Amino acid sequence: MNNWFVNSTDVEQAFLHCNLHETIYMQQPAGLEEDSNKVWRLKKGLYGLSQASRLFFKHLAARLKEFGFVAAMSNECVFVLQRGTSVLIFCTVVDNILQVGNNPELLLVQEVLSKFYTVTDDWPVT
């Protein structure tokens, strides 16, 4: 794998990008000055919400597929983009993306992702 690059990206506030498709209520956080007898109806995913990771994954997978990525048959969290002899592989773990490829020009995918999410590059990985 000579001349391949490995980069890491973090999607900030990932779960807030996903609309909930079910009705979920939560108690107000401790210390809030409003009426403590009220509950909140969630419209977006939050960290700690059991559905949040799956909702974000579906959202991210849809964006990657729009760009031309194909999910690996062996692991749905791995996506592959092939353009001629160039290959870019995305491995997703919750809101982290590990990128492996043989052509740095394919990192333009990063620009596409930044249209949907606030992303932080933690790269290169050693």
Side-chain angles (χ1 to χ4, degrees), residues 83-104:
R83 302 248 169 102
T85 59
S86 299
V87 177
L88 180 60
I89 302 167
F90 270 31
C91 302
T92 62
V93 178
V94 189
D95 59 351
N96 297 299
I97 303 169
L98 183 67
Q99 306 164 41
V100 180
N102 64 354
N103 184 345

Side-chain angles (χ1 to χ4, degrees), residues 9-12 16-17 56 59-60 63-64 66-67 90 97 107-121:
T9 300
D10 180 61
V11 179
E12 297 179 14
L16 295 178
H17 296 283
F56 175 68
H59 195 266
L60 177 63
R63 303 291 82 74
L64 292 175
E66 287 172 6
F67 195 75
F90 270 31
I97 303 169
L107 284 179
L108 63 97
V109 173
Q110 193 78 8
E111 294 175 26
V112 173
L113 287 178
S114 66
K115 292 179 182 178
F116 300 102
Y117 313 111
T118 302
V119 293
T120 304
D121 287 331

